Amino acid sequence: MGKVTGFLEIDRQDRKYAPASDRIRHYKEFVLPLSDATVKDQASRCMNCGIPFCHNGCPVNNQIPDWNDLVYQDDWEEALNNLHSTNNFPEFTGRVCPAPCEASCTLNIEDTPVTIKSIECAIIDKGWEMGWVKPEPPKVKTGRSVAIVGSGPAGLAAAQQLARAGHDVHLYEKAARAGGLLRYGIPDFKMEKKQVDRRVEQMEAEGVTFHYNVNVGVDLSARELADRHDALILTGGAEKPRDLPIPGRHFRGIHFAMDFLPQQNRRVSNEGVTADPILATGKHVVVIGGGDTGSDCIGTSVRQGALSVTQLEIMPQPPEKENKALTWPNWPLKLRTSSSHQEGAERQFAVATVRFEDDSKGNVKKLVCAQSGHDFKPVPGTEFELKADLVLLAMGFVQPVHEGMVQELAVATDGRGNVKATDRDYRTSLEKVFVAGDMRRGQSLVVWAIREGRQAARAVDEYLMGESVLPR
């Protein structure tokens, strides 16, 4: 696996960012790729560790040591074939995945894991550059049709797998373009939308039919759709945001992150914004929620010209370095600083928001906050105020939206409000209706969505044909 002594001879070297002063002036990607020679050196660091814990760290079970070795041997095309055998869209994960594989790497015991995410991204980017990524239409059609609702990563992965298996696949999307949160949630500075567009073109050439601006359960009956096809897969995501029901929540200038972020993505792609514009320009912005969505709100607010950006997290500040003996090879809880944090944001931990106050005209003007205790409730006597003209709620998502499709189908849900199904057969309580991605597992990562879409595709293929050659 790589060079036997590579990890002893070569230091870890990862991609760097363009300077913050330059990158905040635009919405383009700003990660500086490594040279081919450097990528080969980094791949050579993959050690013959006996048990590749990175396999377990990766939700799609990428064969990481294998394609590291192929890159080291300069066989990039075969490395791409290997990568595609487990992951339909490595250009997505190579840009926005938090890389649990690197946390699981044996070399992470001493904080120098193999730069797996960067190598993965380099392989697929070279594949597109060299023209190796081509449509793979089926040689034989099965005569069976499948409808998929939701074109996020789970829906896209399921659609591509089923189309390649020979089924007639129809993908329904309520928005004007495909991609789900890949397109409308993740800012362009983290992933430009050409990454999604060229996959859509590939899938259209493979036989997938995209239906845009169709909100199933509202514009089109979900039961009618199920009757029209041999199988139906629900991949609509977990779009119901967690709210903050405190005094003053109704004031103008308080918005969910997913009302704010998609607007800017639509501006960048010239799609047009129909709702009232939400802009951070010239405002004091407070982002409530310390995760990736909150980080995306920070980067977008900075680019829009916010006067100040403050991020509040109700949890206490995690340690800067994890206890490896306690956590490895699992994903550790530790302080993570994103590129957006580096662009100019003040972070405050263990803070609970008590109430919002306005300017007497109904516009939010400040937050009254307090330190949060062990029960995450405000600690009396610790109150303080924060100036705010725009408040963005980025506290995660609680469940799929039930109004519309889920209610119409009346599928069984679990205790958290997700559509109920196992990760073995992905079947809902309704005959021939399947579910995958965040709609089944709850809010999660792009890489988990791809895994679920692939596995659901195999389950549907088995249901329709009695057997399947698609991988699990």
Side-chain angles (χ1 to χ4, degrees):
M1 301 304 169
K3 187 178 182 182
V4 176
T5 55
F7 71 98
L8 297 171
E9 299 169 12
I10 298 165
D11 291 334
R12 174 184 163 94
Q13 182 180 339
D14 208 351
R15 295 174 291 182
K16 290 184 169 58
Y17 300 143
S21 57
D22 294 340
R23 66 183 191 244
I24 63 171
R25 300 174 189 276
H26 59 75
Y27 290 89
K28 294 184 172 66
E29 291 178 16
F30 53 79
V31 176
L32 307 176
L34 302 172
S35 68
D36 286 0
T38 304
V39 173
K40 284 177 61 177
D41 279 349
Q42 292 304 302
S44 79
R45 297 184 65 247
C46 186
M47 59 194 295
N48 193 1
C49 57
I51 299 175
F53 291 98
C54 54
H55 282 200
N56 289 343
C58 175
V60 291
N61 304 118
N62 279 337
Q63 300 168 60
I64 294 160
D66 300 71
W67 43 255
N68 276 334
D69 187 52
L70 288 163
V71 168
Y72 171 57
Q73 304 295 343
D74 212 20
D75 193 348
W76 290 80
E77 189 170 5
E78 188 55 34
L80 179 66
N81 292 335
N82 188 299
L83 183 52
H84 268 149
S85 72
T86 56
N87 185 353
N88 295 67
F89 314 118
E91 64 269 44
F92 303 165
T93 49
R95 284 168 170 78
V96 302
C97 183
C101 52
E102 292 189 23
S104 296
C105 178
T106 300
L107 283 172
N108 191 39
I109 293 173
E110 55 175 39
D111 291 317
T112 59
V114 174
T115 53
I116 299 167
K117 179 177 171 179
S118 294
I119 297 166
E120 174 184 41
C121 202
I123 294 169
I124 182 59
D125 286 355
K126 180 174 274 293
W128 283 110
E129 179 191 333
M130 301 297 291
W132 296 333
V133 185
K134 297 186 175 78
E136 299 175 29
K139 293 183 173 62
V140 181
K141 297 288 279 186
T142 64
R144 306 294 177 88
S145 69
V146 181
I148 301 173
V149 181
S151 68
L156 291 174
Q160 185 165 63
Q161 293 294 93
L162 287 166
R164 290 175 175 179
H167 302 299
D168 184 24
V169 179
H170 291 261
L171 189 47
Y172 291 83
E173 170 55 55
K174 67 181 178 183
R177 297 181 185 178
L181 291 189
L182 290 168
R183 183 178 295 279
Y184 294 107
I186 295 169
D188 288 73
F189 56 79
K190 284 176 70 174
M191 191 181 82
E192 293 175 19
K193 304 317 166 201
K194 68 178 181 183
Q195 310 294 345
V196 182
D197 292 336
R198 55 190 182 185
R199 281 298 182 184
V200 170
E201 288 174 15
Q202 179 194 32
M203 290 169 66
E204 287 175 337
E206 292 169 345
V208 177
T209 305
F210 288 83
H211 303 265
Y212 298 120
N213 296 307
V214 181
N215 191 347
V216 176
V218 178
D219 307 323
L220 173 65
S221 163
R223 286 191 175 274
E224 183 187 320
L225 195 61
D227 292 340
R228 199 188 298 171
H229 295 273
D230 298 303
L232 170 64
I233 311 178
L234 312 179
T235 55
E239 291 188 315
K240 188 175 179 61
R242 181 174 282 107
D243 207 343
L244 188 59
I246 59 173
R249 169 65 179 88
H250 62 285
F251 294 144
R252 286 187 295 274
I254 303 171
H255 303 276
F256 289 118
M258 282 305 155
D259 292 330
F260 171 68
L261 294 172
Q263 283 197 3
Q264 185 55 47
N265 286 12
R266 287 188 168 97
R267 288 186 197 101
V268 173
S269 62
N270 297 315
E271 195 179 311
V273 177
T274 54
D276 291 338
I278 307 168
L279 291 164
T281 314
K283 295 177 181 175
H284 295 286
V285 180
V286 174
V287 179
I288 301 179
D292 289 339
T293 303
S295 174
D296 294 343
C297 288
I298 292 169
T300 302
S301 297
V302 168
R303 281 162 179 75
Q304 289 182 355
L307 287 178
S308 69
V309 184
T310 306
Q311 184 179 34
L312 305 181
E313 168 59 77
I314 200 166
M315 302 280 284
Q317 181 170 330
E320 291 195 12
K321 188 169 169 24
E322 73 272 29
N323 180 345
K324 288 291 194 328
L326 188 66
T327 61
W328 182 86
N330 297 318
W331 182 251
L333 174 67
K334 67 176 183 178
L335 182 65
R336 301 176 193 279
T337 300
S338 72
S339 59
S340 293
H341 292 135
Q342 296 169 354
E343 291 165 3
E346 181 191 349
R347 286 200 275 179
Q348 296 189 28
F349 293 89
V351 173
T353 309
V354 178
R355 66 180 182 274
F356 301 109
E357 295 190 357
D358 73 333
D359 60 358
S360 77
K361 296 179 183 176
N363 302 301
V364 70
K365 226 41 207 165
K366 64 181 176 183
L367 284 69
V368 176
C369 306
Q371 292 298 307
S372 64
H374 294 298
D375 55 0
F376 303 123
K377 291 180 180 170
V379 176
T382 63
E383 289 84 4
F384 63 95
E385 295 181 351
L386 276 177
K387 196 185 296 184
D389 309 304
L390 175 63
V391 178
L392 300 171
L393 306 180
M395 302 176 297
F397 303 87
V398 291
Q399 65 184 35
V401 172
H402 286 186
E403 293 76 20
M405 179 175 69
V406 174
Q407 281 185 352
E408 184 196 340
L409 291 172
V411 285
T413 54
D414 63 18
R416 295 187 299 155
N418 301 320
V419 178
K420 194 172 183 179
T422 71
D423 62 358
R424 296 301 304 172
D425 62 15
Y426 292 89
R427 292 193 187 198
T428 69
S429 56
L430 280 184
E431 176 65 21
K432 78 175 185 178
V433 179
F434 297 75
V435 64
D438 289 6
M439 192 162 251
R440 187 198 75 84
R441 66 179 289 117
Q443 172 191 323
S444 192
L445 305 172
V446 168
V447 67
W448 274 106
I450 294 172
R451 169 199 172 109
E452 296 233 337
R454 287 172 62 87
Q455 293 190 342
R458 179 185 168 97
V460 170
D461 194 33
E462 283 181 329
Y463 168 76
L464 295 175
M465 308 303 293
E467 60 182 9
S468 179
V469 295
L470 292 175
R472 251 191 74 80

